[in-house]
Amino acid sequence: MKFLFTIFALFLFCKLCDAEEDFRVWTSSDGRTLKARFVEKVGESVKIKNTQGREFVLPLTKLSKADQKYTLEVSSKNLFSSPKPFDDLGNGGIIISSVKGKVSVTLPPRNSDSQGLKVVGRDAIVGESIPIVSTIKTGADSEANLLLTNGTLAKLGANSKIVLSVFWQKNFEPSAKKVTQLEEEVSSSRVALELEIGDLVVDVKKLNKDSSFMVKSPLGTAGVRGTQFGMSVDSKSTELAVLEGKVGFKDANLETKNVETAQKVIGAEGGASDVDDLPDTEKIELANAVADSKKVASKYDISRLANTVEGYATKPNYIVKSALDMELIWCPPGSFIMGDEGDAHPVILTKGFYLGKHEVTQEQYERVMGNNPSNFKGKNLPVERVSWYEAVAFCKALNRKERRVFRGWEFTLPTEAQWEYACRAGTTTKYSWGDDLDPKLANYNDSGLKKTGAVGSYRPNPWGFFDMHGNVSEWCADWYGKYPTGSVTDPIGVDLDSHRIVRGGSWYTGGTNLRSDKRINSMPSNRSHFGFRVSFQSIN
């Protein structure tokens, strides 16, 4: 119901934002008239629509001076209007392509049900993607190169703070083409950044006609269609410097100016200065910043951008019909610090995936596999005494039975990295609820139950997953092996070993085994107090 309400609200918002200009009488230079409304400015022409719905594209030079002025005013206003979503409600994001010095990111809670989860900043991870309403901050002598999923490049200077306030973007097909080969954006997008303080240099690819790009600051806003420019913001002023292209600038008095190639303007509380020539030293600084952003972005291809946009799309829970409506929750692309203090390392997950809201129940297992190996019987109890081989067989059976499986997608066990990412759900504490054990929050050997409990008996973690801590230990797809040193992307574990990974602890184990970072390994033929939950994901 919440998802349907969200979609309805966004639909209503789109309709409210789609207000058209009023009809007016347009006059040609030779005196002919036409009643029509403004649609958009197209280069040095204007598109208008008459009362019958027919559209015309007319050169501005063929219209009266009043119509030319009106066109420039309306198009300028549209350049600075709040970005509105596309029909598919898709979202883009930012990839941290490089960092120097102290760079931190603060991510928003995933949903309103995050149980009061405290939002804190952490060190940025090179290669990670961050969603809308995220904040990036740099310290002294620090900087960050950023890659937006529409292909835009940016460099954030020292002592700067920027917020990705809005990023609507249409989905697009992945490809091996490098982002540095782009001359136009990969898909239509509407972006609004807020530069609160510091320096930002941006290389915006040529935008589609239904796209927009804004950088807001306390004393001025830049609106562009495709250009290379820099903004420098402090408490008293905002400077806009254009290396290439044309940028609209709206000052604190809501007056607008056009700033073109090799020009700059300064906005202050009293308004904007006159447009001035850009000194050669500033041209060189901007050009060097753009070149540096291109260099570090050269390792990324269009597929990485496409996976991020697809992963940030709003997705309802996936229902597995053949397993008695088993419910799976979408996990978007992201990153986290995996492991404990001794072997902690950054992990980047470039693709989203679904994961079971609950551990697989005995009723679900018996419906799919025709048997129930559990020691403690009960249809809503988690299935247990399941080997790794049997958990994998269950996933393969779902692939055969489900008729709605997406092409290239499979039911499988989650990787160890995916499991810990979902278990942490944005937290950095020992357990998803904090650092202290509490028998009221999970089923383990101090809880008093002394057996498995019905799935969903304890409160969920911030992303809505139940029993990630305790009840039954859960198989993962990976072989057990030493963690790598340094950052890893989409890890799948070592190639071969004798043991598989088990996570989460159980009703039988001590509380330390419930920790989000705790690794257990076992022979894949072992059943013990083991169960599992199902993942559904794109398979390369």
Side-chain angles (χ1 to χ4, degrees):
M1 179 63 70
K2 181 184 292 184
F3 172 76
L4 293 176
F5 175 78
T6 301
I7 293 297
F8 174 75
L10 282 169
F11 172 79
L12 194 60
F13 174 74
C14 294
K15 292 300 181 184
L16 291 173
C17 290
D18 273 333
E20 297 177 306
E21 296 297 321
D22 293 333
F23 282 103
R24 62 188 297 275
V25 177
W26 298 73
T27 305
S28 67
S29 54
D30 59 3
R32 290 177 293 170
T33 61
L34 175 67
K35 189 174 184 179
R37 61 161 52 108
F38 172 88
V39 176
E40 64 175 330
K41 184 174 180 291
V42 184
E44 296 304 315
S45 301
V46 60
K47 180 185 289 187
I48 59 177
K49 182 187 292 187
N50 68 11
T51 54
Q52 287 76 45
R54 183 180 176 187
E55 292 186 346
F56 303 85
V57 177
L58 306 174
L60 285 172
T61 55
K62 300 294 186 181
L63 296 173
S64 68
K65 295 295 184 182
D67 289 341
Q68 293 180 33
K69 181 180 178 182
Y70 171 81
T71 298
L72 293 176
E73 289 176 349
V74 174
S75 60
S76 178
K77 179 185 73 174
N78 291 345
L79 195 64
F80 299 105
S81 61
S82 297
K84 54 191 177 182
F86 298 101
D87 291 341
D88 64 4
L89 307 178
N91 284 295
I94 290 178
I95 296 171
I96 310 292
S97 51
S98 76
V99 300
K100 173 186 175 184
K102 179 65 175 178
V103 180
S104 65
V105 297
T106 303
L107 308 183
R110 182 177 169 191
N111 54 50
S112 59
D113 298 326
S114 292
Q115 306 169 353
L117 179 66
K118 185 178 179 181
V119 179
V120 296
R122 60 161 173 78
D123 290 341
I125 300 172
V126 175
E128 71 172 314
S129 58
I130 59 175
I132 56 172
V133 201
S134 296
T135 300
I136 307 171
K137 292 177 65 176
T138 58
D141 300 319
S142 304
E143 63 183 30
N145 281 297
L146 313 174
L147 169 61
L148 280 65
T149 52
N150 63 356
T152 292
L153 305 176
K155 175 183 281 292
L156 190 63
N159 296 314
S160 301
K161 180 180 180 181
I162 194 168
V163 179
L164 177 58
S165 55
V166 178
F167 199 154
W168 301 108
Q169 187 173 1
K170 292 183 178 180
N171 280 341
F172 55 96
E173 291 298 317
S175 80
K177 184 178 181 179
K178 296 296 184 181
V179 297
T180 48
Q181 297 176 278
L182 293 173
E183 294 184 359
E184 300 179 357
E185 63 175 345
V186 290
S187 70
S188 296
S189 63
R190 293 165 185 163
V191 181
L193 303 173
E194 295 182 22
L195 181 61
E196 297 184 7
I197 192 76
D199 303 306
L200 178 71
V201 177
V202 184
D203 178 13
V204 182
K205 306 307 177 187
K206 183 179 178 182
L207 302 180
N208 295 329
K209 66 179 183 179
D210 55 349
S211 298
S212 63
F213 192 100
M214 284 193 301
V215 181
K216 301 179 180 180
S217 77
L219 295 172
T221 300
V224 306
R225 296 293 306 168
T227 181
Q228 297 173 349
F229 70 96
M231 285 184 74
S232 183
V233 176
D234 59 30
S235 60
K236 296 182 179 180
S237 66
T238 293
E239 178 181 306
L240 169 67
V242 179
L243 179 64
E244 182 180 297
K246 181 188 294 186
V247 180
F249 184 78
K250 184 170 67 174
D251 64 21
N253 295 329
L254 306 184
E255 298 292 331
T256 60
K257 293 178 182 282
N258 284 323
V259 187
E260 302 189 11
T261 297
Q263 292 182 336
K264 72 174 186 177
V265 68
I266 298 176
E269 287 186 4
S273 67
D274 292 332
V275 176
D276 201 357
D277 291 334
L278 188 65
D280 289 340
T281 53
E282 291 191 47
K283 293 179 188 177
I284 293 172
E285 289 177 2
L286 292 174
N288 288 341
V290 170
D292 188 45
S293 292
K294 288 182 178 179
K295 181 179 179 180
V296 298
S298 61
K299 60 184 176 182
Y300 295 100
D301 59 22
I302 307 304
S303 291
R304 176 63 197 278
L305 305 186
N307 289 337
T308 304
V309 173
E310 197 275 338
Y312 284 159
T314 301
K315 298 182 188 294
N317 289 357
Y318 188 93
I319 305 301
V320 186
K321 294 294 185 181
S322 62
L324 296 174
D325 292 340
M326 178 190 294
E327 194 171 359
L328 312 182
I329 297 174
W330 179 251
C331 296
S335 57
F336 69 106
I337 302 300
M338 185 175 183
D340 60 22
E341 294 180 359
D343 53 20
H345 58 287
V347 169
I348 299 165
L349 300 177
T350 64
K351 295 181 179 181
F353 60 96
Y354 285 98
L355 186 66
K357 183 176 183 178
H358 301 102
E359 295 159 329
V360 175
T361 67
Q362 294 177 29
E363 184 180 35
Q364 291 166 340
Y365 188 89
E366 190 166 0
R367 169 61 66 91
V368 174
M369 303 300 290
N371 64 84
N372 181 6
S374 303
N375 181 40
F376 304 108
K377 301 296 185 181
K379 67 178 184 178
N380 289 325
L381 297 179
V383 67
E384 26 105 13
R385 297 192 57 77
V386 177
S387 71
W388 182 89
Y389 299 111
E390 289 166 333
V392 170
F394 179 91
C395 296
K396 290 181 177 179
L398 289 185
N399 289 322
R400 293 191 299 270
K401 291 174 178 289
E402 278 293 295
R403 297 180 179 180
R404 297 190 304 120
V405 173
F406 307 145
R407 185 184 180 122
W409 287 62
E410 289 184 359
F411 294 100
T412 182
L413 294 177
T415 66
E416 183 184 19
Q418 290 172 336
W419 191 97
E420 185 171 331
Y421 177 62
C423 177
R424 290 185 176 277
T427 65
T428 57
T429 47
K430 294 177 182 178
Y431 311 93
S432 63
W433 59 75
D435 286 322
D436 298 323
L437 271 172
D438 188 340
K440 295 180 180 179
L441 297 179
N443 181 18
Y444 61 106
N445 66 357
D446 288 341
S447 301
L449 193 60
K450 305 303 180 184
K451 63 177 183 177
T452 58
V455 299
S457 296
Y458 299 87
R459 80 183 191 191
N461 76 4
W463 287 2
F465 294 104
F466 290 85
D467 302 311
M468 297 297 286
H469 307 281
N471 217 17
V472 291
S473 298
E474 300 178 18
W475 287 110
C476 294
D478 313 38
W479 288 108
Y480 177 79
K482 287 184 177 181
Y483 278 144
T485 57
S487 178
V488 290
T489 300
D490 299 322
I492 56 173
V494 297
D495 291 337
L496 184 64
D497 194 81
S498 58
H499 290 62
R500 294 283 184 175
I501 295 290
V502 186
R503 284 299 203 115
S506 75
W507 65 273
Y508 179 80
T509 61
T512 56
N513 281 3
L514 273 63
R515 289 173 52 134
S516 299
D517 59 23
K518 183 64 176 178
R519 309 180 83 199
I520 301 294
N521 66 85
S522 182
M523 294 285 290
S525 58
N526 190 4
R527 290 184 171 86
S528 189
H529 40 271
F530 300 155
F532 66 102
R533 70 182 69 218
V534 171
S535 174
F536 182 49
Q537 55 187 280
S538 173
I539 304 297
N540 289 330

